Amino acid sequence: AQSVTQLDSQVPVFEEAPVELRCNYSSSVSVYLFWYVQYPNQGLQLLLKYLSGSTLVKGINGFEAEFNKSQTSFHLRKPSVHISDTAEYFCAELSGAGSYQLTFGKGTKLSVIP
Amino acid sequence: DTAVSQTPKYLVTQMGNDKSIKCEQNLGHDTMYWYKQDSKKFLKIMFSYNNKELIINETVPNRFSPKSPDKAHLNLHINSLELGDSAVYFCASSHALVNYEQFFGPGTRLTVL
């Protein structure tokens, strides 16, 4: 069974500092990876996705992620965070074998400190 | 216009009752999903429908039943509600063979007393 591991449940960081949220996936076949953000009391919004091609993926709000097949990782980064980035971040893997099921990690709570 | 909408946003009910949550998408997608987010924020797929056919059914109690009157709607019916059903339920949709991105609704917070 697929599994997605987000190594940090909470990440506090000062405003304007860089941040990395870590994610490891388990699939050894075709890999489709996603990062979603959930602001308080809201639904999930896609930040970025990796389907194929360049291993460095750029998303919205200045976020980017790097797909690393040898390390089975898909870490999310931002060079300078803002207060408005405070939210829950979810890494997810898609099974493309006819089911299109998203398997989510347990989430990382990013808290930006003024 | 909201791409994926859910009603109601909040639902408070007593144990044993039957309730429904409605979901509609106006994106022309062919696949719709229901996810459950528990109190620890963990998200898990419950169902998905593709062209009116159920293609995923995880280990969900049969008290939960998805109903899709057409491609734009996937409603969730829950019978005999239990305390453990309290959670946030998210509807999502995607065009399965296009870019695989799933668009999520705002969620329905269900509280069972």
Side-chain angles (χ1 to χ4, degrees):
Chain A
Q2 288 176 289
S3 67
V4 176
T5 303
Q6 291 184 244
L7 296 161
D8 305 297
S9 60
Q10 296 186 61
V11 173
V13 62
F14 285 103
E15 193 173 15
E16 297 184 6
V19 70
E20 178 179 84
L21 305 183
R22 297 180 293 169
C23 173
N24 287 91
Y25 64 92
S26 65
S27 177
S28 60
V29 292
S30 296
V31 177
Y32 304 124
L33 297 165
F34 303 80
W35 275 100
Y36 281 86
V37 61
Q38 185 179 28
Y39 298 105
N41 298 314
Q42 293 188 29
L44 280 78
Q45 180 182 6
L46 182 70
L47 277 177
L48 48 79
K49 61 180 182 273
Y50 172 80
L51 304 181
S52 64
S54 172
T55 57
L56 184 62
V57 180
K58 293 193 182 296
I60 63 171
N61 301 341
F63 284 93
E64 63 180 32
E66 184 154 19
F67 171 67
N68 188 318
K69 188 173 182 179
S70 62
Q71 297 185 8
T72 60
S73 68
F74 190 54
H75 300 333
L76 181 70
R77 302 185 183 100
K78 185 169 182 176
S80 174
V81 295
H82 303 287
I83 295 289
S84 59
D85 292 323
T86 294
E88 194 88 26
Y89 291 79
F90 293 94
C91 183
E93 182 178 11
L94 187 74
S95 164
S99 66
Y100 311 108
Q101 173 183 355
L102 269 179
T103 299
F104 283 91
K106 292 191 174 182
T108 297
K109 168 71 175 172
L110 174 63
S111 299
V112 180
I113 306 163
Chain B
D1 281 340
T2 304
V4 183
S5 60
Q6 295 179 227
T7 53
K9 189 170 175 63
Y10 300 97
L11 184 54
V12 181
T13 187
Q14 300 285 335
M15 278 177 55
N17 284 349
D18 302 337
K19 291 294 178 185
S20 295
I21 306 172
K22 294 186 177 181
C23 176
E24 177 181 3
Q25 55 95 3
N26 62 7
L27 297 167
H29 287 163
D30 59 5
T31 306
M32 296 183 71
Y33 312 81
W34 278 105
Y35 289 86
K36 178 181 180 180
Q37 186 174 45
D38 63 23
S39 58
K40 295 185 178 179
K41 302 279 190 178
F42 185 56
L43 277 154
K44 189 169 183 181
I45 182 77
M46 299 178 72
F47 303 102
S48 70
Y49 256 72
N50 179 280
N51 291 325
K52 290 194 172 183
E53 291 188 39
L54 182 68
I55 60 173
I56 301 175
N57 189 347
E58 291 291 306
T59 53
V60 172
N62 57 15
R63 297 181 295 104
F64 290 79
S65 57
K67 299 245 180 355
S68 180
D70 54 57
K71 283 174 64 173
H73 296 84
L74 182 65
N75 303 324
L76 183 64
H77 299 274
I78 316 169
N79 295 325
S80 304
L81 278 155
E82 300 178 357
L83 293 176
D85 298 332
S86 295
V88 181
Y89 292 84
F90 287 100
C91 178
S93 72
S94 72
H95 198 302
L97 295 179
V98 181
N99 59 11
Y100 304 105
E101 178 183 347
Q102 293 185 17
F103 291 79
F104 283 78
T108 296
R109 182 174 294 277
L110 172 65
T111 303
V112 182
L113 304 175

